[in-house]
Amino acid sequence: MAAPTRLQQDIAERILQLVRDDALAAGAWLNENATAKRLGVSRTPVRAALDHLAEQGVVRRHLNKGIELIHLPAATDSARAPETIELAMVKLAHERENGLLPDEVSELEVMRRYELGRPEAQKLLARLADLDMVERKPGYGWRFLHEPRDKRLRDESYRFRLVIEPMCMLEPGFHLEPGWIAEMRARHLAYLQSPWRESSSIAFYEMNAAFHEGLAAATGNRYFHSAVRRQNQLRRLSNYDWGLGFERVRVNCTEHLAMLDHLEAGENEVASALMRSHLLRASKLKLGTRQAGETD
């Protein structure tokens, strides 16, 4: 098998950090799709990263069953690199959303601004590229693919979502797999019980995006799903730059869990009404000195 790319090595390190954060032990099972969603990347590099970990004897693939954790290596300095990169990404999101970062940046500029070594800067840019937030320019440098979000764009986004997202749950073919509900409930409860760190905003947003995207996907309608995915992509940096503290995280998780309870009970009309009020309240939150905090 070919040597793993820099991005795949970075994702392998992040997978190990998730395993440590979740306090998993040998014998636990990992899900490729769920891991990709938690990390906010596509399944292809996650699959390659897991294959890399399998070669190292960390995990083992079982046909039609999943991926078993065999051995968890001890944490090293390199294992702490993802935290450094995520903190740098939070700072980058803040500067970009507040007009402090131009449309085009170089690798050296990223290294200088966020006090990163070259490998860490390359990993950060590779993650942004995998999320379709930046693209490499011909020859040299990187270009952001989306404009910073101002109040007008934020308001337009919420007006659009208020029309689309509550209606998803009322579609005739709407169906949620029990496993997805259980996974979402567990991830939300974990956030309510875990300490909040500055870098937590990235994984929190990816969980939040997965929740809304999963509800849209449950319609079976590709247009609903595509619209919500696009909104999640446009909102990503503004939500990485989190400015509302843990109390809003608590409200967000609690309201999501209430929707799951009603959907599981077959009370889709109630869940739809909760989604509308959920988005409406979030749309009225005032932006502080940081442009972050759409929360949903």
Side-chain angles (χ1 to χ4, degrees):
M1 181 177 292
T5 66
R6 188 181 298 112
L7 175 62
Q8 290 160 2
Q9 291 174 327
D10 176 43
I11 290 175
E13 293 172 357
R14 294 170 63 199
I15 290 171
L16 292 178
Q17 191 58 49
L18 284 181
V19 168
R20 294 186 182 96
D21 291 345
D22 293 345
L24 299 182
W29 292 86
L30 308 179
N31 181 279
E32 187 177 285
N33 190 44
T35 300
K37 288 181 178 179
R38 288 186 69 178
L39 295 178
V41 298
S42 64
R43 291 182 63 178
T44 300
V46 169
R47 185 179 300 116
L50 288 168
D51 288 341
H52 174 58
L53 292 174
E55 286 188 327
Q56 295 180 321
V58 176
V59 301
R60 179 185 299 140
R61 286 189 179 276
H62 294 267
L63 186 63
N64 299 324
K65 289 187 65 177
I67 303 151
E68 182 184 7
L69 179 64
I70 302 300
H71 165 68
L72 181 61
T76 63
D77 288 340
S78 63
R80 287 188 284 272
E83 174 75 8
T84 300
I85 294 169
E86 294 202 344
L87 284 170
M89 192 175 290
V90 169
K91 294 175 183 176
L92 179 147
H94 175 68
E95 293 192 353
R96 177 62 180 166
E97 289 301 300
N98 286 276
L100 303 176
L101 200 60
D103 291 341
E104 298 180 359
V105 294
S106 68
E107 186 178 290
L108 288 175
E109 176 71 2
V110 170
M111 292 169 60
R112 182 189 66 79
R113 293 182 79 108
Y114 309 114
E115 299 180 344
L116 297 174
R118 188 177 298 276
E120 289 77 20
Q122 291 172 339
K123 289 177 182 179
L124 186 154
L125 289 165
R127 281 183 62 182
L128 290 174
D130 193 64
L131 291 166
D132 292 326
M133 303 306 297
V134 300
E135 66 178 3
R136 189 187 292 274
K137 294 172 55 184
Y140 181 75
W142 297 79
R143 178 187 297 112
F144 283 96
L145 296 176
H146 309 293
E147 296 179 4
R149 288 165 59 80
D150 58 21
K151 184 180 186 303
R152 179 182 58 83
L153 290 176
R154 180 178 183 271
D155 291 345
E156 289 179 0
S157 171
Y158 271 112
R159 294 309 306 167
F160 177 78
R161 296 178 66 205
L162 280 162
V163 172
I164 296 295
E165 295 197 44
M167 296 305 297
C168 288
M169 305 173 195
L170 304 181
E171 281 292 287
F174 185 88
H175 174 71
L176 285 174
E177 293 294 336
W180 185 88
I181 295 176
E183 178 195 341
M184 275 295 142
R185 183 175 283 121
R187 288 173 67 179
H188 281 71
L189 289 173
Y191 266 98
L192 290 174
Q193 298 164 4
S194 301
W196 182 261
R197 304 189 301 269
E198 185 179 1
S199 61
S200 298
S201 61
I202 295 177
F204 174 67
Y205 175 71
E206 296 304 337
M207 178 193 72
N208 178 76
F211 175 83
H212 287 269
E213 188 176 322
L215 294 180
T219 65
N221 186 315
R222 70 192 70 184
Y223 293 100
F224 277 117
H225 191 199
S226 177
V228 173
R229 287 184 63 187
R230 178 62 173 167
Q231 284 295 308
N232 284 341
Q233 186 181 59
L234 292 173
R235 299 184 306 118
R236 183 165 268 110
L237 280 183
S238 62
N239 278 265
Y240 282 3
D241 181 29
W242 185 258
L244 296 173
F246 182 70
E247 184 53 38
R248 183 59 202 176
V249 173
R250 188 186 305 278
V251 170
N252 178 280
C253 288
T254 301
E255 292 180 353
H256 281 192
L257 288 168
M259 283 182 243
L260 290 178
D261 289 343
H262 286 291
L263 289 170
E264 197 168 33
E267 299 168 345
N268 291 37
E269 293 84 0
V270 178
S272 175
L274 288 177
M275 175 63 81
R276 178 170 175 76
S277 61
H278 177 65
L279 293 173
L280 193 58
R281 278 195 294 272
S283 72
K284 294 179 179 178
L285 291 171
K286 293 186 180 297
L287 296 179
T289 55
R290 298 172 69 171
Q291 292 247 348
E294 292 186 26
T295 81
D296 238 315

